[in-house]
Amino acid sequence: MPAFMQLLGWKARGLRCPDHEIDCCKPNGQPYKVCLVQMPNGTGKTTTLTLLRAALSGTAAQWDPERVRNFRKKGSTSSEGSFEVSLLLNGKRTTIVMNFDFESGRVQYKTTRDHGQVNRFNPPTQFRRFMDPNFVNFFIFDGELASNLLDKTHTDAQVVVENLFFIRTLHDLQVKVEEHWEDRARQVSATEQKGLTRRRNTLRRLEEDLENLEEKKRKLESEKSRISDTLEKQKGIYEQEISRIEERNAQLHDAKDEFTKLEHETRTKALDILDQMRKPHALSEIFGAMLLQFKNSLDRVKLPESAAREFFEELANEAFCVCGREITDSIREEIRRRAAQYLASDDVSLLNAIKTDIQQVVGLSIVDDANQLKQMLASLEELIRRRDDARALLDELQRDIEQSDPRVMQVKESIDQYKTELEEVEEELAKFSNGTYDLEALKKSIEDARKDLAEITQTLEIRKKCDILKAILGEAAKQAQRGIVEAICDEANQRIRQLMPYNNIFISDINRSLVLDGQEGGSVGETLSVAYAFLSTLFDRSEHKLPFVVDSPAGAIDYAVRPRVGELIPHLGEQFIAFTISSERERFVQPLKSAAKGDVQFITLFRKGPAELEQIARQSGSYVETADGILVIGEPFFTQFQLDEEATS
C-alpha cells in the first residue's frame, strides 16, 4: 500500500527558536499545497529544521546531554522545553512530541495515534523506512544536503531509490530465503547430533567472521575517505594561512622551487650514473686493461681470420701434432674433415664483434670512462649536498612560519596527525588485498560449510534451490535498480535542462551520490538546482507521497533561474513547505504562487525587538504573539516584511 504523509503543523516552547505554533492547514483541515514560512536570519530556521528532522526520525533520544542543553532558550532558566509535530499518515492523525529535560540532558518521545499514546518514538510500521534518519534528510532538505548529494561520503542516494521503489524488498526476500533454509536445517534431526551441532557452530562462526570482516572493511573505507577529505582541507587551510605572510611566503615559494629543481637534477644524474656503471671498465681501469689485453692476444695469434683459413690445413701438413703425436694419413684426413666444426662462421663473427666492441668502447685509453664516472659521482655528491641544503632551508622556513603563527602550527600538527591516521587505516585496509583477510576464501568456506550442514540434515536439495532463488532475486534487484536509475537520470536531466538550459550539467549515474557527467560539482546555485531536479523526479515517479520541506529554497539560485525553480516546486509533491528570508522573494514567490494556482499559505515569524515592526504586525489583523516572538499570517505582511539586519546578514 502506498504511503501518504502530510505535515499538519508544529509548535515549539522553551527552545532556542521563538515560541510559536505553525498551522499548515486551511479552514477545512486540509494542508495547503505550498506553505512559505518567512523567518529572518537569527530567528531559528536551522533549529526548527533540526527539530523537524529529529521529530520525524526519533534521533533525539540518542543525543548527548550537551547537545540537548544547547536547545534551551537563551537566557531561560526553565528546565523543560517541547517540540510537537502533527501528521496525517494515510489519512490518520499522528502526533509526535519531544519533551526536553535540560537538567538531565535527555529528550523523551511520546507518540499518539489510533491505538493511543506510548512513551517512545513509534510511527506506523508502514512509515518506518521513510521516518529513518538517512531518509528524512531527503524530504527535509537544505543547502548542505544539496551539496552532499554530490559527495559519496555523506549521502547514499542509492538506498533512497531502493526504499522508494521497493527494490529493498528483493534483498529482504534473499534474507527470508536464507532464513527458510536455516529453519528447515534446524527442524531435521541428524543421525549424529554431535556432528550436526558442530557443523552448525562452524557455519555460524564463519558467517559471523565474514560479517565482522565486511563491517570492518566498510568502516575502514569510510574512515579512509573521511580522513583523506579532512587532510586535504587541512592542507588547503595550511597553505592559506602561510600565504598570508607575504615576504616569508615568497621565500618559501622560492625554496620549494629550488628544492624541486635540485631533486629532479639529482634523480636525472643518478640515472646517468647507473648507465655509466653498466660499463665494467668504467668501474675499474683493471677491467679495461684486461679487455685490451684479450683483444691484443687475439690479434697476435691472428684470430679469428688465421684460424679459420690456415690453422687446420697447416696442422694437417705437419709430421707431428701440437700434442707430440705422429700425424698419419688417416689422421690428416680426420683433421681436415673435422676442421669445419671448429671456429665456424658464427664463431668467427662473434670473435670479430668482440674485438670491434672492445676497440669502440675501450678505445685507446683505459682510463677515460673511469675518469668520467668519477667526475659524475663527484657531481652527484655536490647535487645531493645542494638538495639537502635546499631541503633544510625549506624546513627551516616552514618551522619559522609555523612558530610565528600558532594557527599554522596547529594546522600543521593536525596534518601530521591525519597523515599518521591515514597510514594506519591504509595499512589495515591493505590486509584485505594481501591475503591477511581473505574475504573470498571465507565466502568459499561458508559455502562449503552450508553444503556440509545440508548433507547431514538431508536438505542439500533445498540448499541448492535456495541458492538459485537468491541468485535470481539478486539479479532481479540489480536489473530493476539499473532500469530505475537510468529512467530517473533521463527525467532529471530533462528538468535540469529546463532549469539551466545553458549550463551543460547532467547526471550520468546514481551510486552512493549523484554522479555528474564529466565533472565533480558545480556552483552553489547549480548544485541546488540539480538537487531539485533529482528529488522532484524521485518523488514524482514514486507512488509514495511525502511532504517536501526546504530551507532557503532560492537563496543561492541566479535570478534568471528562480522563476523556473518556482514553477517546478509545486510539482515536487503533494505538499511543499519552505523556510525563506525576504531576499528570496524576488522573481521566486510569484511564479511559485502561479504554479500552485494560489494554493499558498504565507506566514512570517520574527523575534520581538523592533518596536515599529511589532506595531505593524499587531495592526495586521491575523497575528499570534508569544513571550519572545510574533507570528503573522497573510501575504500583505509577508510581502512587505523586511529587517535591516537581515538585509546585511
Side-chain angles (χ1 to χ4, degrees):
M1 180 178 177
F4 189 13
M5 178 191 297
Q6 292 174 289
L7 192 59
L8 301 179
W10 66 88
K11 55 184 175 182
R13 180 185 61 82
L15 302 175
R16 212 162 49 196
C17 53
D19 291 351
H20 67 278
E21 182 173 354
I22 299 287
D23 185 354
C24 302
C25 296
K26 308 172 192 175
N28 64 5
Q30 290 300 310
Y32 283 92
K33 186 171 185 62
V34 176
C35 180
L36 298 179
V37 183
Q38 185 170 223
M39 299 171 66
N41 291 324
T43 307
K45 291 197 306 295
T46 303
T47 298
T48 306
L49 212 68
T50 302
L51 291 168
L52 282 171
R53 285 195 183 113
L56 296 181
S57 63
T59 53
Q62 286 78 47
W63 287 352
D64 60 68
E66 183 179 357
R67 185 175 184 187
V68 172
R69 295 185 184 109
N70 280 338
F71 281 87
R72 191 202 303 252
K73 190 181 295 292
K74 188 176 181 181
S76 173
T77 58
S78 174
S79 63
E80 296 178 348
S82 66
F83 187 78
E84 178 180 321
V85 174
S86 298
L87 303 162
L88 272 184
L89 303 179
N90 283 352
K92 295 182 179 180
R93 191 180 183 94
T94 297
T95 302
I96 300 172
V97 179
M98 298 164 56
N99 287 320
F100 287 74
D101 183 344
F102 298 122
E103 295 299 325
S104 64
R106 295 177 60 191
V107 176
Q108 183 179 26
Y109 282 85
K110 288 186 178 181
T111 305
T112 304
R113 50 193 181 95
D114 49 4
H115 63 275
Q117 186 181 84
V118 293
N119 290 325
R120 65 180 187 277
F121 179 72
N122 186 37
T125 303
Q126 184 180 355
F127 286 86
R128 285 181 183 173
R129 61 185 172 134
F130 304 116
M131 300 175 75
D132 169 89
N134 293 322
F135 198 96
V136 164
N137 287 337
F138 283 85
F139 64 87
I140 299 182
F141 173 82
D142 58 16
E144 183 179 1
L145 176 64
S147 175
N148 289 346
L149 276 172
L150 303 179
D151 187 344
K152 64 183 178 182
T153 64
H154 287 90
T155 58
D156 199 339
Q158 185 173 313
V159 169
V160 178
V161 172
E162 290 179 354
N163 284 337
L164 269 179
F165 297 97
F166 293 103
I167 298 173
R168 193 78 233 164
T169 305
L170 295 172
H171 297 305
D172 294 339
L173 281 173
Q174 287 181 301
V175 175
K176 293 295 183 184
V177 169
E178 187 63 29
E179 290 175 351
H180 170 72
W181 177 78
E182 291 174 353
D183 289 341
R184 290 294 299 269
R186 280 193 293 268
Q187 293 168 8
V188 179
S189 60
T191 305
E192 298 180 5
Q193 185 63 36
K194 184 177 179 181
L196 175 63
T197 303
R198 178 178 56 79
R199 295 190 188 193
R200 281 178 177 164
N201 291 339
T202 299
L203 176 59
R204 188 179 302 111
R205 177 181 54 79
L206 288 171
E207 289 176 335
E208 289 174 355
D209 289 346
L210 178 62
E211 183 179 350
N212 292 336
L213 279 179
E214 288 179 333
E215 179 63 20
K216 180 175 184 177
K217 185 179 181 183
R218 281 193 296 271
K219 288 181 178 179
L220 286 170
E221 289 172 341
S222 176
E223 186 69 3
K224 178 183 176 182
S225 179
R226 182 190 66 80
I227 294 173
S228 298
D229 289 346
T230 307
L231 181 59
E232 290 305 313
K233 290 176 183 176
Q234 290 294 312
K235 287 180 179 179
I237 295 171
Y238 180 78
E239 294 296 333
Q240 198 173 35
E241 292 294 339
I242 286 181
S243 66
R244 294 177 181 174
I245 310 170
E246 294 185 2
E247 182 178 352
R248 289 190 176 180
N249 184 54
Q251 294 175 347
L252 184 65
H253 184 271
D254 292 343
K256 283 182 178 178
D257 288 347
E258 179 67 12
F259 172 73
T260 302
K261 179 175 74 71
L262 288 171
E263 186 156 44
H264 175 71
E265 291 180 6
T266 301
R267 189 180 300 109
T268 302
K269 178 63 72 175
L271 292 174
D272 291 342
I273 288 174
L274 285 175
D275 288 338
Q276 182 71 0
M277 290 174 69
R278 290 189 177 94
K279 304 174 183 178
H281 57 285
L283 294 174
S284 173
E285 298 172 6
I286 296 174
F287 289 122
M290 294 178 69
L291 286 170
L292 283 176
Q293 182 180 356
F294 175 62
K295 175 185 178 300
N296 292 335
S297 297
L298 292 175
D299 289 340
R300 188 167 53 255
V301 296
K302 297 182 180 180
L303 284 175
E305 295 86 355
S306 172
R309 291 193 304 268
E310 303 171 3
F311 177 76
F312 288 102
E313 185 61 35
E314 291 178 356
L315 182 61
N317 293 329
E318 294 291 329
F320 295 93
C321 179
V322 292
C323 64
R325 291 178 58 194
E326 181 181 1
I327 298 177
T328 64
D329 290 339
S330 61
I331 291 175
R332 285 189 181 88
E333 291 301 320
E334 191 65 20
I335 288 173
R336 291 189 177 99
R337 186 177 67 80
R338 294 194 180 194
Q341 298 179 19
Y342 300 93
L343 291 175
S345 59
D346 289 345
D347 303 305
V348 172
S349 298
L350 175 61
L351 286 174
N352 280 327
I354 290 172
K355 290 169 63 177
T356 301
D357 288 346
I358 292 174
Q359 178 65 34
Q360 291 177 348
V361 175
V362 181
L364 300 176
S365 173
I366 61 175
V367 298
D368 287 349
D369 286 304
N371 289 337
Q372 184 180 356
L373 179 60
K374 290 176 183 177
Q375 293 172 3
M376 292 172 73
L377 288 170
S379 177
L380 178 61
E381 289 178 1
E382 175 64 16
L383 276 174
I384 292 173
R385 184 190 64 76
R386 290 171 58 198
R387 182 201 63 185
D388 291 345
D389 289 346
R391 173 78 266 182
L393 176 61
L394 180 59
D395 291 343
E396 183 180 353
L397 286 171
Q398 288 179 327
R399 280 195 302 272
D400 288 345
I401 293 173
E402 291 164 5
Q403 292 170 1
S404 65
D405 190 336
R407 291 175 301 177
V408 177
M409 175 62 79
Q410 185 178 3
V411 175
K412 179 63 167 58
E413 290 174 353
S414 296
I415 289 174
D416 293 340
Q417 178 185 343
Y418 284 122
K419 282 182 178 178
T420 302
E421 291 179 7
L422 185 61
E423 288 174 0
E424 291 173 354
V425 171
E426 288 177 337
E427 183 178 346
E428 194 66 18
L429 267 175
K431 294 179 180 179
F432 287 92
S433 55
N434 65 17
T436 305
Y437 301 142
D438 195 337
L439 294 179
E440 293 306 316
L442 189 53
K443 290 176 183 177
K444 179 64 169 59
S445 297
I446 289 173
E447 288 304 312
D448 292 342
R450 284 174 177 165
K451 290 177 181 178
D452 288 344
L453 181 58
E455 288 173 357
I456 200 170
T457 57
Q458 301 175 356
T459 56
L460 186 58
E461 188 64 27
I462 296 176
R463 174 73 258 170
K464 291 178 181 178
K465 290 178 180 179
C466 286
D467 288 342
I468 293 171
L469 183 54
K470 284 170 63 180
I472 292 172
L473 290 169
E475 184 61 27
K478 193 181 299 182
Q479 291 189 21
Q481 181 167 323
R482 176 45 49 194
I484 291 170
V485 164
E486 289 176 357
I488 289 174
C489 287
D490 290 343
E491 193 169 327
N493 286 331
Q494 292 178 20
R495 284 191 165 100
I496 292 172
R497 279 191 287 270
Q498 293 172 4
L499 293 173
M500 301 178 294
Y502 306 111
N503 292 53
N504 199 30
I505 290 180
F506 302 103
I507 302 171
S508 62
D509 196 6
I510 302 170
N511 201 331
R512 285 189 58 84
S513 61
L514 302 186
V515 181
L516 297 183
D517 186 21
Q519 63 188 84
E520 293 185 1
S523 67
V524 177
E526 288 174 334
T527 300
L528 189 56
S529 299
V530 168
Y532 279 142
F534 166 68
L535 292 172
S536 64
T537 302
L538 192 66
F539 292 119
D540 185 48
R541 291 184 63 89
S542 170
E543 60 180 347
H544 307 292
K545 302 301 178 185
L546 305 172
F548 197 54
V549 184
V550 179
D551 180 23
S552 299
I557 297 177
D558 294 340
Y559 283 122
V561 180
R562 281 189 181 187
R564 291 192 285 270
V565 173
E567 293 166 358
L568 171 68
I569 278 175
H571 304 291
L572 288 173
E574 295 297 320
Q575 184 183 26
F576 177 79
I577 299 171
F579 293 88
T580 71
I581 57 176
S582 59
S583 60
E584 293 183 85
R585 295 193 300 250
E586 187 176 353
R587 304 197 69 184
F588 175 70
V589 172
Q590 286 306 315
L592 172 63
K593 182 180 176 182
S594 298
K597 298 180 180 178
D599 192 4
V600 181
Q601 183 187 37
F602 295 92
I603 297 175
T604 304
L605 173 63
F606 63 96
R607 290 187 187 277
K608 282 186 173 180
E612 183 178 352
L613 196 57
E614 289 182 24
Q615 183 67 21
I616 297 172
R618 293 187 182 106
Q619 294 171 355
S620 66
S622 182
Y623 76 97
V624 177
E625 186 171 348
T626 63
D628 56 350
I630 296 180
L631 185 146
V632 182
I633 299 174
E635 185 176 2
F637 188 84
F638 182 97
T639 304
Q640 296 170 11
F641 179 83
Q642 181 69 55
L643 278 180
D644 292 338
E645 58 264 34
E646 179 189 71
T648 59
S649 62

